[in-house]
């Protein structure tokens, strides 16, 4: 409810950034490199990049191809690649994967969904690929993360 009020008063982009901050937890200073891609891009106000990022966020469960994202934003694939590299210092595919991993991490922390259900809900086709990318991004497997969270709840 608060996010919709923020969106109404300050705009959708700012509301997304606030929502992202709420998902990151209290120790955000040590994880600033994991800030969401849309939060990084807001300072640029590049409408095409923001349009692509919105589409990425709107299509997490069934990811769109770079071609579909480009067509939707009205620019070429190559332009998207250049603008993402310039503004976000990463390829669009990497940004999309990080967005999907952020969603998966939130689901791990906030739900009782099985890891396989989270894999599917975050647009991955393979549990092994998901686990590898998750460990690269967060330094632990999704199973280890969930176990640590549940172990902490019992103390």
């Amino acid at each position: 409810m608060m996010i919709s009020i923020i969106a109404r008063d300050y705009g959708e982009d700012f509301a997304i950034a606030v929502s992202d901050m709420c998902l990151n937890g209290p120790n955000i200073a040590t994880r600033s490199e994991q800030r969401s891609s849309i939060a990084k891009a807001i300072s640029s106000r590049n409408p095409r990049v923001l349009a692509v990022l919105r589409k990425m966020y709107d299509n997490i469960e069934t990811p769109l191809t770079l071609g579909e994202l480009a067509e939707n934003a009205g620019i070429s694939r190559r332009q998207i690649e250049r603008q993402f590299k310039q503004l976000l210092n990463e390829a669009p595919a990497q940004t999309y994967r990080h967005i999907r991993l952020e969603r998966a991490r939130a689901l791990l922390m906030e739900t009782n969904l099985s890891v396989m259900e989270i894999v599917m809900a975050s647009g991955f086709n393979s549990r092994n690929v998901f686990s590898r990318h998750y460990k690269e991004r967060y330094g632990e497997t999704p199973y280890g993360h969930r176990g640590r969270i549940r172990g902490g709840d019992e103390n």
Side-chain angles (χ1 to χ4, degrees):
M1 181 168 152
M2 286 304 297
I3 297 299
S4 51
I5 293 170
I6 292 169
R8 182 192 70 216
D9 292 349
Y10 298 99
E12 185 177 329
D13 294 333
F14 187 71
I16 290 169
V18 169
S19 176
D20 178 62
M21 286 184 261
C22 293
L23 290 175
N24 277 320
N27 197 9
I28 196 164
T30 61
R31 293 189 321 253
S32 61
E33 74 281 356
Q34 295 174 2
R35 191 170 61 145
S36 86
S37 301
I38 203 162
K40 284 194 263 182
I42 286 174
S43 62
S44 78
R45 302 226 186 266
N46 182 311
R48 290 183 171 157
V49 170
L50 290 173
V52 170
L53 288 168
R54 274 192 213 98
K55 276 295 180 191
M56 288 177 174
Y57 275 95
D58 290 344
N59 293 280
I60 290 175
E61 194 169 323
T62 309
L64 301 174
T65 66
L66 185 55
E68 292 169 323
L69 291 167
E71 183 179 326
N72 206 311
I75 59 175
S76 72
R77 289 173 47 126
R78 186 67 191 124
Q79 283 178 304
I80 288 177
E81 290 169 345
R82 276 195 303 267
Q83 289 180 3
F84 269 68
K85 188 67 175 168
Q86 179 184 5
L87 296 171
L88 304 174
N89 201 30
E90 62 187 18
Q94 187 178 8
T95 300
Y96 210 171
R97 184 172 53 246
H98 289 169
I99 290 168
R100 291 165 41 223
L101 287 167
E102 288 169 7
R103 172 67 57 87
R105 189 166 195 236
L107 291 172
L108 271 171
M109 294 185 331
E110 298 171 3
T111 72
N112 288 323
L113 294 173
S114 72
V115 172
M116 193 60 203
E117 290 172 313
I118 292 171
V119 166
M120 301 309 288
S122 54
F124 289 90
N125 294 323
S126 160
R127 186 173 49 205
N128 292 335
V129 171
F130 167 71
S131 292
R132 185 179 76 235
H133 287 302
Y134 193 94
K135 186 171 184 177
E136 280 175 18
R137 179 93 170 137
Y138 300 111
E140 64 185 340
T141 67
Y143 299 99
H145 184 166
R146 178 160 273 170
R148 186 174 49 79
I149 290 170
R150 288 187 176 158
D153 288 345
E154 295 171 4
N155 291 333

